[in-house]
Amino acid sequence: MKWIWAILFLTLCSCGATKFYKEMDAMEQEFGHHAGLLVVDAETGKTLISHNADKHFIPASNTKILTLFSSLKVIGERVPALYYFEQGDSLIFWGSGDPSLFYEELPESPAYEFLKSSKKDIYFSDANFSGSHYGNGWAWDDYDYSYAVERSSLPQYGNYLKASKPETSTYLSVEPKFFKQYFWMGDSAQESGISRLYENNAFVYTPAINKALDRNVPVKSNPLITVGLLSDTLNRTVRYVNLPLPASYRTLEGLPADSLYKVMMQASDNFIAEQLMLTIAGIVSDSLDTDIGIDYIKETYFNSIPDMPKWVDGSGLSRYNLITPRSIVWLWQQILTMKSREELFPLLATGGVSGTIKNYYKSDPPYIYGKTGTLSNNHCLSGYLITNKGKMLIFSFINNNYPTSSTPIKKRMEQILWGIHQKY
């Protein structure tokens, strides 16, 4: 008779979640797509709702959860700003992957004052950069958009330039001004605007009166651009040398790591995410290569992950990334052992308050803290849900391959998650 009572108990426990299973089925039927949802009690680890939790989905920017986990495991309190070696009257330095140098979304990097105030001749080497400037599976024709800037060992200004003009003028303002020398006037028959050639830093500007322009345009990374731009900004000569990183190099401490994590997680900053994976690779090896960082994390820390993800970049721009909802929930569980709730929640997008869910999941007090992920036809949200009774749940909600805009998907997700908030 004991087994009968056990089955009855499990049936009664699952009845409360039946409503949500029906809603998930109805959602998939309406939009003709694939959805996964896992909700777990953060304190007990008990699974409350599980719908396709063991299936692999494209995570989009939920990949940044992997990057946050990896950064917390490897980087420490501060990000390394750069690596350097002094010999005689020379200062030779290498990039660490740190994205903060002259990047407007972050505080000023200590690297600026360090290089500016040095009395030695300055030389830059990128010999420790062995990875690719683009991630595996990135769309090649996204190269001209600021969400897909190149990776590099010593990025400056976010690896893009800012071009703008008022509606009533054809005069183009370019920042940093260093890049003005690479601009060409376009044919008047072409559509107005700015584009960059794929293989180099040739920017074509086609002006138009009565049309304002404000664009962040990615630049093509190479060592000569790096030293030229740095020399122009520092107002002193920086030369290029191709020297390997010596065993006796020193590390210049950079910004507090949390200042980078906050922008990455709230604004879903692809640039910071990609550079952090390079930084991780540089800490665990002598090479800045995203594949090295990913392999290290998987081999060192993923022994107990429910399902090994297919993981190829730091930002989630690639559709090659695949992960299950239960592996994402596992990551959030692990992150909570490294950061207290009080430390972690301010770094995350908060429903109705900040980041990519500022206009969704509104409640006072907030009940959703987490990370979104969006590519065309794919949207997801994962993180922490605070219930009406004050319980903390961990969830992963992923939607792939819907043939519509993301707006109705987001609204349906909001209805389901609000229902979970109210019930538990």
Side-chain angles (χ1 to χ4, degrees):
M1 292 293 291
K2 287 184 178 180
W3 65 271
I4 297 177
W5 286 109
I7 293 174
L8 180 61
F9 175 76
L10 291 172
T11 302
L12 290 171
C13 288
S14 64
C15 284
T18 300
K19 170 180 179 288
F20 301 110
Y21 290 120
K22 290 180 177 179
E23 289 183 345
M24 292 297 295
D25 287 336
M27 184 182 183
E28 286 182 308
Q29 288 179 23
E30 179 179 351
F31 296 108
H33 76 301
H34 312 295
L37 173 64
L38 179 63
V39 182
V40 171
D41 188 305
E43 183 177 355
T44 66
K46 177 184 175 182
T47 296
L48 304 178
I49 303 168
S50 179
H51 178 84
N52 290 335
D54 62 341
K55 306 302 182 186
H56 284 82
F57 293 86
I58 298 170
S61 281
N62 261 204
T63 304
K64 295 182 178 73
I65 303 166
L66 292 159
T67 301
L68 177 64
F69 170 89
S70 306
S71 300
L72 292 173
K73 285 291 187 183
V74 174
I75 290 178
E77 293 296 318
R78 289 184 174 271
V79 175
L82 52 80
Y83 304 127
Y84 68 98
F85 178 74
E86 294 178 304
Q87 185 175 30
D89 59 359
S90 299
L91 169 66
I92 307 164
F93 73 98
W94 295 256
S96 64
D98 175 23
S100 64
L101 191 59
F102 313 131
Y103 187 40
E104 63 181 355
E105 302 298 332
L106 295 171
E108 184 176 294
S109 169
Y112 170 73
E113 187 58 35
F114 176 77
L115 296 173
K116 180 75 174 176
S117 61
S118 175
K119 305 300 183 185
K120 298 179 180 291
D121 295 330
I122 302 178
Y123 297 87
F124 165 72
S125 173
D126 71 340
N128 62 330
F129 180 77
S130 59
S132 60
H133 289 297
Y134 295 117
N136 294 329
W138 288 14
W140 74 266
D141 54 349
D142 284 350
Y143 77 93
D144 205 23
Y145 295 92
S146 59
Y147 58 77
V149 297
E150 294 191 5
R151 306 158 167 165
S152 62
S153 65
L154 188 76
Q156 300 171 71
Y157 299 96
N159 276 350
Y160 61 73
L161 61 82
K162 296 176 70 68
S164 61
K165 83 168 189 69
E167 184 177 341
T168 56
S169 171
T170 59
Y171 175 77
L172 186 71
S173 172
V174 177
E175 295 292 338
K177 292 181 175 59
F178 171 82
F179 287 108
K180 274 193 171 183
Q181 62 188 302
Y182 297 102
F183 270 76
W184 301 81
M185 192 69 74
D187 190 322
S188 58
Q190 295 175 328
E191 184 178 353
S192 62
I194 295 177
S195 62
R196 197 203 82 205
L197 298 187
Y198 179 66
E199 291 293 345
N200 56 55
N201 286 309
F203 300 90
V204 179
Y205 168 51
T206 306
I209 299 177
N210 299 325
K211 185 176 181 181
L213 188 149
D214 188 9
R215 271 203 67 196
N216 297 335
V217 188
V219 299
K220 185 73 181 172
S221 296
N222 64 62
L224 296 182
I225 287 291
T226 298
V227 297
L229 179 56
L230 192 56
S231 297
D232 187 71
T233 305
L234 294 175
N235 197 27
R236 62 174 302 180
T237 301
V238 180
R239 297 179 177 88
Y240 173 68
V241 291
N242 185 19
L243 292 175
L245 194 66
S248 56
Y249 74 85
R250 299 174 66 182
T251 301
L252 176 69
E253 281 198 344
L255 297 175
D258 279 2
S259 63
L260 280 69
Y261 304 154
K262 184 175 182 178
V263 179
M264 175 179 73
M265 298 301 284
Q266 289 193 5
S268 200
D269 192 301
N270 294 332
F271 166 64
I272 291 178
E274 293 299 335
Q275 293 298 139
L276 283 173
M277 288 309 302
L278 288 183
T279 300
I280 289 166
I283 292 172
V284 303
S285 74
D286 59 359
S287 297
L288 304 184
D289 185 330
T290 298
D291 290 344
I292 292 175
I294 288 174
D295 289 344
Y296 174 83
I297 295 298
K298 289 170 68 174
E299 293 168 5
T300 308
Y301 298 112
F302 280 5
N303 293 326
S304 60
I305 196 168
D307 309 290
M308 187 63 71
K310 183 176 181 183
W311 178 21
V312 302
D313 68 9
S315 64
L317 277 172
S318 176
R319 293 174 186 266
Y320 292 172
N321 293 304
L322 293 171
I323 195 168
T324 64
R326 65 185 183 184
S327 288
I328 290 179
V329 166
W330 180 87
L331 286 164
W332 283 123
Q333 290 171 320
Q334 300 303 307
I335 288 170
L336 205 54
T337 67
M338 295 182 278
K339 283 276 190 189
S340 70
R341 174 172 165 174
E342 292 72 26
E343 293 172 319
L344 179 59
F345 280 17
L347 305 180
L348 307 179
T350 303
V353 177
S354 65
T356 53
I357 53 173
K358 184 177 181 178
N359 297 319
Y360 288 86
Y361 308 99
K362 294 180 179 179
S363 177
D364 188 16
Y367 73 102
I368 296 286
Y369 301 84
K371 181 73 196 74
T372 57
T374 306
L375 290 170
S376 56
N377 311 109
N378 296 279
H379 180 74
C380 51
L381 174 66
S382 303
Y384 306 95
L385 187 155
I386 309 302
T387 72
N388 202 31
K389 298 174 184 176
K391 283 187 177 181
M392 182 166 68
L393 311 181
I394 304 176
F395 74 95
S396 175
F397 198 161
I398 306 183
N399 296 274
N400 278 186
N401 303 325
Y402 48 82
T404 181
S405 75
S406 64
T407 301
I409 296 289
K410 291 176 182 177
K411 289 181 178 178
R412 190 64 60 84
M413 291 172 67
E414 189 169 17
Q415 291 171 2
I416 293 172
L417 292 174
W418 176 255
I420 295 170
H421 162 75
Q422 291 291 88
K423 178 170 181 56
Y424 293 99

